[in-house]
Amino acid sequence: MRPRTTSTPRVATVAVALLGLLLSFLSLGTPAHAAATGFRIENGRLLEASGNDFVMRGVNHAHTWYPGETQSLADIKALGANTVRVVLSDGHRWTKNSAQDVAGVIAQCKANRLICVLEVHDTTGYGEEAAAGTLDHAADYWIGLKDVLAGQEDHVIINVGNEPWGNTNPAGWTDPTIAAVKKLRGAGFTHTIMVDAPNWGQDWQGVMRANAQSVYKADTTGNLIFSIHMYSVYDTAQEITDYLNAFVNAKLPILIGEFGGPADQYGDPDEDTMMAVAQQLKLGYLAWSWSGNTDPVLDLAIDFDRTRLSSWGERVFHGADGIAATSKEATVYSSGGGDTTAPTAPGAPTASGVTSSSVSLKWAASTDATGVTGYDVVRVSGGTETAVTSTTTTTATLTGLSPATSYTFAVYARDAAGNRSPRSATVTVTTSSGGSTSTCGVGYRVTSSWPGGFQGEIVLRNTGTSAINGWTLRWTFPDSQRITNLWGGTATQSGSEVSVTSAPYTATIPAAGSVTLGFTAGRAATNPSPTAFTLNGAACSVS
């Protein structure tokens, strides 16, 4: 569930005593421990039993509220994830997930070759949320599941309790966290244990950061990882990099156990930096959440349909540093006779719709014994390759290209086991020079607004004498507006720059015809309208 936030923490708050805490971390070091039987922590890194480094790339799934959505794990895997964090209940606040149900979830994770992070959600916001349960109660729930969890140490990570403290006296988080970990170890659990931060998971007062070393040392196995949840508190690059680097430099294991991108009433999370820094530091991230949110802007998939990703879902799965491009399947699924055969090479891509800034590629599908799960498009320059985008289909529209420039592209295929095909043959295209005036017009208006958000409409008109077949519309927001959902096309946004590609039902605009796009977006106090739009790289008139 999306954490509550507060409007008070800023960079100054997050940065207070950071240097001192970091020096404290470094002076204490991390203790040596006996090897675990499955996942384990070494030198601040999460390792599989095989010794391979494992970086989580996945999403959260609200199983306890939607137990009938049994297809979700397969769909999440098909989009490239290697991990799913599953919402469970210990019965304190919601209907208790039985041992049989949890065993079924684990079996589904394994059948779909996913690492399973299991979490108790009833602890959310303890101390501020009256209905929340304690970490001690959650620990008892895990102990009651010991027979189900035993032997699953290389497939399951136990997240003791979700966001187990609110904003009221967050210093009270430390002792119950240590006690819950010790209780599980005393009961014989050797699994990797994950602990969430206070402040509804966001640790904006730095309690987990300040006490992480003492919590880690209290676990006699050393097999413990910290989880920070990043929402609107983390709306600047400095806050994100400072927090994550404090743990990495101290060799304390951490991941982003939840994060959001859509703006809310408290601010606009900087998901681009979260994902980029996680990739740079090789830290895990798990996006919130698959589907079924009370606030649907946080749904990655609309109505649990993996073929209908929201703009948030497209960003997480197919955007820069996204799941499709960076996820690697756990080696436990490819060992002992698992799938090690790569897919065949995709067909040579062909180019169409070349403009001054974009091109559409299409290629023949690859084949694989267990099924192709995705394709990676790369730019080839001499002996160097640069990742461009990833997709689950055999088409891709590449945007943000430079005018009058030659580009060479190729494609790889991936299967469910993470095997990568040989590279396809290449295609070379040269973008047009640009600078001309397109035969298009754009009408932009705000149809409704509310604090922190608004709904907009764009009418795209063909003012020429021939039909437009396939298009990419681009503009730059003048303030901090950010698209949260769009219909009539597929939107991607980087900073203030927005690119929308046509949907199948809006791709053709007849001469003198038009199509209408609608969207919702977050905003700050002001909401000025964009003043310039381009269609397929050429400027449109604006009215």
Side-chain angles (χ1 to χ4, degrees):
M1 182 176 291
R2 192 181 195 185
R4 285 179 58 183
T5 55
T6 173
S7 57
T8 56
R10 301 302 329 130
V11 178
T13 306
V14 176
V16 169
L18 178 61
L19 180 59
L21 291 170
L22 178 57
L23 292 173
S24 174
F25 281 167
L26 292 172
S27 66
L28 286 170
T30 54
H33 301 279
T37 57
F39 276 107
R40 67 181 187 273
I41 301 296
E42 275 187 20
N43 295 317
R45 304 294 304 168
L46 176 65
L47 306 182
E48 293 187 67
S50 63
N52 289 332
D53 201 67
F54 184 70
V55 179
M56 295 187 209
R57 288 287 182 266
V59 305
N60 288 263
H61 171 51
H63 170 75
T64 199
W65 303 310
Y66 300 99
E69 295 294 339
T70 56
Q71 178 63 28
S72 291
L73 298 188
D75 290 342
I76 290 166
K77 176 62 178 183
L79 289 166
N82 63 20
T83 305
V84 62
R85 181 171 178 257
V86 180
V87 177
L88 301 176
S89 172
D90 64 5
H92 178 84
R93 186 172 183 183
W94 296 286
T95 302
K96 181 178 181 180
N97 292 98
S98 68
Q100 181 180 5
D101 182 48
V102 175
V105 168
I106 295 172
Q108 287 182 55
C109 283
K110 293 169 73 173
N112 288 290
R113 306 166 75 93
L114 288 164
I115 296 304
C116 208
V117 177
L118 302 177
E119 61 104 340
V120 164
H121 215 77
D122 305 68
T123 57
T124 305
Y126 180 80
E128 188 175 352
E129 172 55 66
T134 65
L135 281 171
D136 187 64
H137 190 271
D140 287 339
Y141 174 70
W142 296 120
I143 292 170
L145 293 174
K146 187 176 180 183
D147 288 346
V148 171
L149 298 170
Q152 304 298 335
E153 291 85 356
D154 51 2
H155 295 92
V156 172
I157 292 171
I158 299 173
N159 190 176
V160 186
N162 182 69
E163 299 171 9
W165 213 275
N167 292 325
T168 302
N169 186 29
W173 166 89
T174 304
D175 289 344
T177 299
I178 290 173
V181 172
K182 286 185 173 180
K183 192 170 193 176
L184 292 177
R185 296 305 185 207
F189 284 83
T190 59
H191 303 69
T192 298
I193 291 177
M194 184 183 296
V195 294
D196 284 7
N199 295 128
W200 299 85
Q202 298 199 81
D203 200 31
W204 59 267
Q205 290 177 287
V207 171
M208 185 172 81
R209 191 180 63 235
N211 293 278
Q213 189 65 251
S214 61
V215 173
Y216 184 77
K217 290 178 70 176
D219 181 2
T220 55
T221 72
N223 195 12
L224 181 143
I225 187 169
F226 297 92
S227 174
I228 182 68
H229 293 183
M230 290 186 166
Y231 290 93
S232 53
V233 166
Y234 295 91
D235 57 2
T236 71
Q238 191 68 50
E239 291 165 319
I240 296 162
T241 55
D242 281 354
Y243 195 94
L244 296 177
N245 273 297
F247 280 76
V248 170
N249 292 337
K251 295 190 180 302
L252 286 169
I254 191 168
L255 82 155
I256 305 174
E258 285 185 20
F259 69 103
D264 62 20
Q265 61 181 313
Y266 302 106
D268 187 359
D270 184 0
E271 71 275 15
D272 291 341
T273 297
M274 296 175 201
M275 296 169 72
V277 173
Q279 180 64 11
Q280 175 193 357
L281 298 177
K282 295 182 172 58
L283 302 179
Y285 66 64
L286 303 172
W288 187 274
S289 79
W290 178 240
S291 199
N293 285 283
T294 303
D295 185 352
V297 301
L298 284 169
D299 285 354
L300 296 158
I302 300 169
D303 295 330
F304 294 92
D305 184 349
R306 75 176 176 94
T307 68
R308 299 169 59 209
L309 294 182
S310 66
S311 56
W312 172 225
E314 289 287 352
R315 173 67 189 92
V316 167
F317 285 104
H318 302 310
D321 304 303
I323 288 173
T326 65
S327 176
K328 295 183 179 179
E329 187 178 78
T331 58
V332 67
Y333 291 118
S334 58
S335 62
D339 179 17
T340 59
T341 303
T344 61
T350 57
S352 63
V354 181
T355 71
S356 61
S357 61
S358 65
V359 61
S360 294
L361 300 180
K362 184 176 183 178
W363 55 89
S366 174
T367 59
D368 184 77
T370 59
V372 173
T373 58
Y375 296 91
D376 302 323
V377 179
V378 297
R379 181 184 178 187
V380 181
S381 180
T384 302
E385 291 183 359
T386 304
V388 178
T389 191
S390 297
T391 176
T392 57
T393 69
T394 57
T395 62
T397 298
L398 314 181
T399 59
L401 308 181
S402 299
T405 303
S406 177
Y407 292 89
T408 299
F409 299 107
V411 183
Y412 290 92
R414 287 175 285 103
D415 66 13
N419 300 308
R420 202 182 198 198
S421 75
R423 194 176 78 186
S424 73
T426 60
V427 62
T428 299
V429 298
T430 300
T431 53
S432 59
S433 58
S436 61
T437 300
S438 174
T439 53
C440 70
V442 171
Y444 177 98
R445 70 186 184 103
V446 174
T447 59
S448 62
S449 62
W450 53 90
F454 70 102
Q455 182 169 324
E457 178 185 270
I458 295 173
V459 178
L460 177 56
R461 297 184 294 272
N462 180 359
T463 58
T465 58
S466 60
I468 296 171
N469 294 302
W471 49 263
T472 298
L473 181 68
R474 305 177 75 189
W475 73 89
T476 299
F477 276 125
D479 200 355
S480 58
Q481 299 100 321
R482 190 157 192 92
I483 299 287
T484 54
N485 193 22
L486 183 140
W487 48 100
T490 300
T492 57
Q493 183 168 352
S494 177
S496 59
E497 297 180 357
V498 181
S499 176
V500 179
T501 56
S502 54
Y505 58 92
T506 61
T508 300
I509 310 176
S514 67
V515 295
T516 300
L517 314 178
F519 65 90
T520 56
R523 65 177 178 89
T526 60
N527 188 20
S529 298
T531 57
F533 295 81
T534 64
L535 183 71
N536 293 341
C540 296
S541 61
V542 181
S543 60

